[in-house]
Amino acid sequence: LKPPAATAAMQALGATLPPDSGLLEWYRRHDGAELFVDDEEGSGLFLYPITEMQAEGEALAERLEGPAMETGEDGRVQIYGRPDWLDSALVFGGFGYAPDRVLLATRGDHAGAVFLFSHDPALLLRLAESFEAWLDQLRSQPLQLLGAYGGPTFQGASAYQSD
């Protein structure tokens, strides 16, 4: 876990989120993090410093093209194409060396929800209704999330043991 963000960065982030946002509260305490990292593989979950979010968002926007088409599969929202709210979303995390990213929708029908951008196929998959719910999933079932999206180190893992 990294130390809290600088005041100016927090003010900029606070301008895009409601004051009671769980994501905002996280960044008040930690300006990014490296979680469940496998140093040999370069895999794990990385929460970006506030100063990197804009560049990550721009890179993600370049990967999604065409009008958005929303579907529901296995009870989960999937969005193919570029939703209207993408330009206001905050890309706050990613999985290792892969282009998969974790983002928070800040506007539109899915405001407050956490999505995963999956590069293969290129789509947005809703992971949780809120940052707090996503963090709870990560705390209680890290292997479910990491096994599906965290790279080869975590695929097929039955337990996680920290160093």
Side-chain angles (χ1 to χ4, degrees):
L1 299 173
K2 297 183 180 179
T7 303
M10 281 304 303
Q11 288 174 341
L13 184 62
T16 63
L17 294 170
D20 62 346
S21 165
L23 182 67
L24 189 59
E25 183 59 32
W26 170 272
Y27 278 91
R28 281 187 184 117
R29 296 176 184 187
H30 310 288
D31 189 17
E34 297 176 0
L35 306 172
F36 309 102
V37 174
D38 179 341
D39 291 327
E40 291 179 24
E41 294 286 329
S43 60
L45 175 61
F46 300 87
L47 302 185
Y48 304 127
I50 294 171
T51 56
E52 295 178 19
M53 288 182 186
Q54 182 176 353
E56 290 292 337
E58 290 169 0
L60 172 64
E62 291 176 7
R63 294 178 154 273
L64 290 170
E65 298 176 353
M69 181 182 77
E70 190 171 309
T71 66
E73 197 168 303
D74 299 327
R76 298 183 107 170
V77 172
Q78 295 182 355
I79 302 172
Y80 295 87
R82 188 182 171 113
D84 293 340
W85 52 262
L86 185 64
D87 289 336
S88 66
L90 295 173
V91 179
F92 66 88
F95 291 96
Y97 54 83
D100 296 350
R101 297 292 180 258
V102 184
L103 57 142
L104 181 81
T106 61
R107 293 189 193 149
D109 293 340
H110 300 290
V114 173
F115 283 82
L116 170 78
F117 166 73
S118 173
H119 75 284
D120 189 19
L123 66 87
L124 295 167
L125 173 66
R126 187 173 62 201
L127 297 176
E129 291 295 321
S130 67
F131 179 78
E132 296 89 333
W134 177 78
L135 207 54
D136 286 343
Q137 287 176 10
L138 188 60
R139 282 187 208 127
S140 64
Q141 300 174 355
L143 288 178
Q144 183 178 4
L145 183 65
L146 294 167
Y149 311 110
T153 299
F154 299 101
Q155 292 172 352
S158 59
Y160 175 79
Q161 183 175 351
S162 64
D163 291 338

